[in-house]
Amino acid sequence: MSLSVGDVAPDFSLPDQDKQVVSLSAMRGRPVLVVFYPFAFSGTCTGELCQLRDELSTYTDAGVQVVAISTDPVFSLKEWRTQQGFEFSLLSDFWPHGETAKAYGSFFEAAGMPNRGTFLVDAEGKIAFAEVNGPGEAREQSGWKAAVAEL
């Protein structure tokens, strides 16, 4: 079951690409865009996150912190971030496997990977935008941008 607008966003504490723990609760007081994706280095995920990279100012200019979460290990995330020039944190939901994605209703159990879930968490920790796309369904990012504009 996915989260809905108005729900309290589940807290998480996950290591980033540099093995530094990032917690949603530590970012309270500013909005956070939480982007789940299946796998680093895959075609669709690379396209989506490169678009996010290229349009990052849309979010940062609005005061939104961006984090992207997959079940990849931190070592893969570090290399992918370096190769692609991502300036946002890539968080590893590797172990316990997919626990954060499950808490957000964005885990595809049969394949052991997150679905493409996107959640805008407002400064008070509530979901302001929620969308989960199934396997193979690329995201349209205009919905996220509209939700950011409404903050």
Side-chain angles (χ1 to χ4, degrees):
M1 182 168 135
S2 186
L3 298 173
S4 300
V5 171
D7 290 347
V8 173
D11 193 20
F12 56 78
S13 293
L14 297 171
D16 70 7
Q17 68 283 336
D18 297 317
K19 300 182 194 173
Q20 300 300 308
V21 175
V22 175
S23 297
L24 182 63
S25 57
M27 294 182 271
R28 187 74 41 91
R30 69 184 291 191
V32 180
L33 183 68
V34 179
V35 180
F36 290 94
Y37 62 96
F39 298 113
F41 298 101
S42 65
T44 302
C45 296
T46 298
E48 288 180 339
L49 268 64
C50 283
Q51 181 181 351
L52 188 57
R53 174 201 63 204
D54 295 346
E55 299 172 357
L56 190 60
S57 64
T58 301
Y59 307 99
T60 57
D61 289 354
V64 176
Q65 177 78 32
V66 175
V67 297
I69 303 174
S70 73
T71 54
D72 294 298
V74 294
F75 309 105
S76 296
L77 298 178
K78 185 172 184 78
E79 180 60 25
W80 194 43
R81 186 175 194 255
T82 299
Q83 285 184 14
Q84 298 301 327
F86 298 139
E87 294 182 13
F88 47 86
S89 294
L90 301 179
L91 307 182
S92 177
D93 194 15
F94 183 74
W95 197 258
H97 193 72
E99 184 174 293
T100 300
K102 290 173 187 174
Y104 279 75
S106 186
F107 193 72
F108 184 47
E109 193 73 46
M113 65 181 195
N115 281 314
R116 289 180 173 84
T118 311
F119 302 88
L120 179 61
V121 180
D122 69 18
E124 288 76 43
K126 292 189 178 178
I127 303 292
F129 174 86
E131 177 181 70
V132 177
N133 295 43
E137 296 176 22
R139 290 178 260 219
E140 168 54 49
Q141 297 184 15
S142 62
W144 318 350
K145 292 175 190 167
V148 166
E150 292 178 18
L151 287 177

